[in-house]
Amino acid sequence: MIFRRIWNVNTEINMKLMRQMRRAFSVSSQSALDFASKDGELRVFIVAGEVSGDTIGSRVMNSLIKLSPLPVHFSGVGGKMMSMQGLNSLFPMEDIAVMGIWELLPYLNQFRVRLKQTIEAALSFKPHVVLTVDAKGFSFRFLKHLRATCVQQGMINPLHFHYVSPSFWAWKGGEARLKGLLQFVDHVLCILPFEVEVCRSNGLAATFVGHPTLEDIPEFQGKDATERRYRIEGNAKAFLTDYGISSGSPVISLLPGSRLQEVTRMFPIFSKTLEQLNVSFPNLVAAVHLAPNQHVEDYISKAVRKWPSSVVLVSGGSHQMKYDSFSASSVALCTSGTVAMEMQLARLPCVVAYRAHLLTEWFIRYKAIIPYISLPNILLDSAVIPEALFQECIPSKLASLLKDLILDENLREKQIIAAEKVIKLLRPQEISFGCSTQVEMSVPLSDCRPSMVAAYAILYYQRKLE
């Protein structure tokens, strides 16, 4: 299996990575700070196209402000979280939050308009650094056109960083596509350790920064959050009290997604699943988590009015409320995505569901070389978390999987134990990054959070001379 091959990160490799990082982070005339010093400020153009990217982007912005010896100014595209760090988004982030292949077709014209607008804004801003966060469909087109325009007009090329390595390793012939990024991406910020070696073997500079979900721990306000075990325990009692839920009523967390496109596809399935679960659990309470996306909030708020079962809506803007809800829940049903990692931090057993356009599903079946879709299963090479994908993602199957998970303590415990292993794999390794950071830049190990590591990479990475 491919993951058994690429996951063999032993001590010798760690030491090799440490030496490579020392070289990669040595300050030269090609660093972002050196570019910026003549202007007396660091200009960063940043683009995020979805809720998870908005969170990642906001944290990196905050870290750059803390670490940069020069004032930092931002421009670009983002959401609510990034606006709190000083970004005035060019347009609503939701305009480019389109996933899938054929699903993009109805939005092509809007996509092109926003792409042109973003390129023009970047050229006008004259950034020293351009940072795109995930959303590779929009991000790579933007970076490619921006670089081509800079070359054509004889302008200084800003440093291009992309946060969250594209998962080309999961597709047939995918690794070869990484080489195409060399034309317009200078450095990739990876959230999975093995991705560094995959990128570098294809000529791309890369740094493992750790999985961004781990930053929920220091940002969490509860006293029970512990970095030693990388686990977040919310206040279940407070959640039940605040919403008037009886302590004897089972609670299920529902996480239908962050994009309106996926929510409108998944939420009706979740609704019918809940109807079937109510037969076995008449007192069941559904805690529906709302992504900080106004379109999604409006859609779900309207849809749940017709539900016969008890339901509470959990704001996606509050880490405290989110993890309080997780701690009060017995299980969770979630659309495949970043939320599967939040389940690992909360140690909440879950079922992962996913549906897409029929042609997109066919493409995935034909091109994918891994049997799982959720990151925990991929990392462990085991179906620890039940997955209901494509044609199997139907209410009867989801209800059956959830019922088994609620009633079988052994199944829940199996996921909880596996979560410990998953989180350990996704932490930045102190031996490979922390030590080199301390030596080169006097960075305390306590600061080695993903956003801090990413910010150091952005500030100190050197682009090699042509």
Side-chain angles (χ1 to χ4, degrees), residues 176-194:
R177 293 182 61 192
L178 281 172
K179 295 179 181 178
L181 303 187
L182 285 168
Q183 302 172 22
F184 52 87
V185 176
D186 294 306
H187 199 100
V188 180
L189 304 172
C190 303
I191 66 173
L192 305 178
F194 62 78

